[in-house]
Amino acid sequence: INKVLSTRVRLTSFYTVDHFTERLKTAKNILVLTGAGVSTSLGIPDFRSSQGFYSRVKHLGLDDPQDVFNLDIFMQDPSIFYNIAHMVLPPDNIYSPLHSFIKMLQDKGKLLRNYTQNIDNLESYAGVDADKLVQCHGSFATASCTTCHWQMPGSHIFENIRKMELPLCPYCYQKRREYFPTVTDANRGVDRRPSPYINATVPKSYGVLKPDITFFGEALPSKFHKTIRKDITKCDLLICIGTSLKVAPVSEIVNMIPAHVPQILINRDPVNHAEFDLNLLGYCDDVAALVAQKCDWDIPHKKWAELK
Ligand code: APR
C-alpha cells in the first residue's frame, strides 16, 4: 500500500474500511466536505432527494426549482424567495451524530477544516470552531440590504420570514416608500399582482434585506477562497459526507486533491461523477458510528449509546 501511495497511483477497489480507519488514526489534517445529507436525520430535508426541498417548491411553477435561490430573480422579485424562506429557516441548537463526529475529529486534533454547503449553522451548535469551519454557501447568521449593503444579525428578519413578508432596510425604507407608496405593495411579500404604483425602473428588491446565504449567481464567501488552496495541499485525507456534489465550485474540491491523498465518500446514494477510493453508502450517522467504533472512539452525542 505504501509503495502504491508513494507512486501517486490512485488507490481503487482494494482500499477497504480497515485502510480508512487506519488512516483516520494517523491523519492530522482531515478535510471534511459536507452537504445537506448530514442534517436529514434531524428532519431537515436535503435538496435533490425525492422528498427533498426542491420537490416541495414545485408548486411555485418555476422552470427550475433552484431559481428560488437565483440572485437575478431575487433582485427582480424577492417575494419568490420569501414565499419559501420559512421552509429553510435553520432550527435552534440541534445537531446530528455526524455533526458530533466532525467535532470529535476536531477534539482529536485531526480536523483541518469542515467545508460545509449547509446554511443551517448546525456545525457551530455541535462545537465546530469558527476557524475550522467554512460555510461555503453562507448562512442565516447575518442579513444584508440589497441596496445599501447594511448588515445586521440574521435573526432580526426571522419574524418577517415566518410571516412571509419582505424584510425592509430601515435606511432605505423611506426611499422605497416613494417608489412603492402603498404600504401593502411595499411590505406584502407574497402579493405578486403587478401594482400600478410600481416604478418600472426600480426593482422590487429595492431596500429589501436578504439573508447572507449564497445564491446561484453570487460569489462564495471570501473565506472559502482564502483557505481552500492552502487546505488542498495540506490535507492528508478527504471525507465527503451527505452531498450529491452537484454544485461548483465546492464539487470541484474532489478533483483538486492530490492523487496520493485518499478520498472517501460517506453518502446514502452513490456519487458517480466523482472518483473515490472508498464509497461507504448508507446513513451517515450509522457509517460514522461504525467507523468510530472501529477506531475505538466515542462520538460526543446523546444518541451515541443507541448508535454503537
Ligand atoms: N446519510 C447520508 N447521505 C444522505 C442522508 C443521510 N442521512 N440524507 C441524504 N443523503 C445524501 C443524498 O443521497 C444526496 O446524495 O445527501 C445528498 C444530498 O444531496 P443534495 O440534496 O443535492 O444536497 P447538497 O449536495 O448539499 O446540495 C449542494 O445545492 O441547492 C444547492 O446551495 C444548495 O448547498 C446546496 C447545494
Side-chain angles (χ1 to χ4, degrees), residues 35-37 40-41 46-49 54 66 117-118 137 216 242-245 247 266-269 282-284:
T40 53
S41 63
D46 63 15
F47 288 93
R48 294 173 181 82
S49 292
Y54 288 138
Q66 294 184 130
Q117 300 170 88
N118 299 342
H137 294 164
F216 290 105
T243 177
S244 63
L245 287 172
V247 177
I266 297 175
N267 208 55
R268 190 191 59 213
D269 299 318
Y283 290 113
C284 56

Side-chain angles (χ1 to χ4, degrees), residues 8-267:
R8 296 174 69 83
V9 171
R10 171 167 294 290
L11 290 167
T12 51
S13 56
F14 55 84
Y15 200 79
T16 67
V17 176
D18 291 336
H19 291 129
F20 172 39
T21 47
E22 282 316 304
R23 184 68 177 226
L24 260 179
K25 286 182 204 161
T26 58
K28 290 270 173 289
N29 289 294
I30 302 173
L31 196 156
V32 179
L33 195 170
T34 45
V38 304
S39 302
T40 53
S41 63
L42 300 167
I44 301 171
D46 63 15
F47 288 93
R48 294 173 181 82
S49 292
S50 54
Q51 302 302 316
F53 172 74
Y54 288 138
S55 71
R56 304 181 188 195
V57 295
K58 280 216 167 79
H59 66 284
L60 290 178
L62 296 165
D63 297 341
D64 176 353
Q66 294 184 130
D67 284 348
V68 294
F69 297 119
N70 179 295
L71 187 63
D72 289 342
I73 291 176
F74 181 91
M75 296 307 277
Q76 288 157 30
D77 184 358
S79 66
I80 295 173
F81 170 72
Y82 282 109
N83 258 322
I84 55 87
H86 61 284
M87 295 164 70
V88 289
L89 257 191
D92 260 338
N93 204 4
I94 57 171
Y95 47 88
S96 67
L98 197 286
H99 289 116
S100 297
F101 176 79
I102 300 170
K103 162 78 161 68
M104 177 193 70
L105 293 179
Q106 172 183 277
D107 292 347
K108 290 182 181 295
K110 292 174 172 289
L111 181 67
L112 172 60
R113 203 93 58 194
N114 174 201
Y115 285 82
T116 183
Q117 300 170 88
N118 299 342
I119 55 178
D120 54 26
N121 204 34
L122 301 189
E123 301 85 2
S124 309
Y125 288 131
V128 179
D129 295 337
D131 70 314
K132 290 288 183 183
L133 181 66
V134 176
Q135 293 171 308
C136 307
H137 294 164
S139 80
F140 277 93
T142 55
S144 303
C145 173
T146 52
T147 304
C148 70
H149 307 299
W150 174 69
Q151 192 173 60
M152 63 191 293
S155 54
H156 290 197
I157 68 168
F158 285 2
E159 204 41 47
N160 300 96
I161 288 178
R162 287 190 189 97
K163 289 195 282 188
M164 295 163 72
E165 280 179 354
L166 297 184
L168 301 179
C169 169
Y171 299 105
C172 300
Y173 185 79
Q174 284 313 325
K175 192 73 185 155
R176 180 180 170 87
R177 289 293 301 274
E178 288 171 30
Y179 293 128
F180 306 99
T182 57
V183 174
T184 46
D185 281 342
N187 273 331
R188 205 181 314 156
V190 293
D191 178 355
R192 296 169 57 193
R193 283 172 298 147
S195 152
Y197 301 109
I198 287 186
N199 175 330
T201 58
V202 176
K204 280 189 181 176
S205 56
Y206 187 92
V208 173
L209 295 164
K210 172 184 157 302
D212 291 333
I213 58 179
T214 308
F215 274 44
F216 290 105
E218 199 169 10
L220 269 62
S222 56
K223 184 174 180 183
F224 173 83
H225 300 290
K226 276 193 198 120
T227 54
I228 191 59
R229 290 244 160 268
K230 186 168 37 68
D231 287 354
I232 291 278
T233 50
K234 195 172 174 191
C235 91
D236 52 15
L237 177 60
L238 169 71
I239 312 176
C240 292
I241 312 174
T243 177
S244 63
L245 287 172
K246 289 265 174 70
V247 177
V250 173
S251 56
E252 288 157 3
I253 291 174
V254 181
N255 304 320
M256 295 158 71
I257 299 287
H260 67 279
V261 175
Q263 304 187 172
I264 315 297
L265 175 73
I266 297 175
N267 208 55

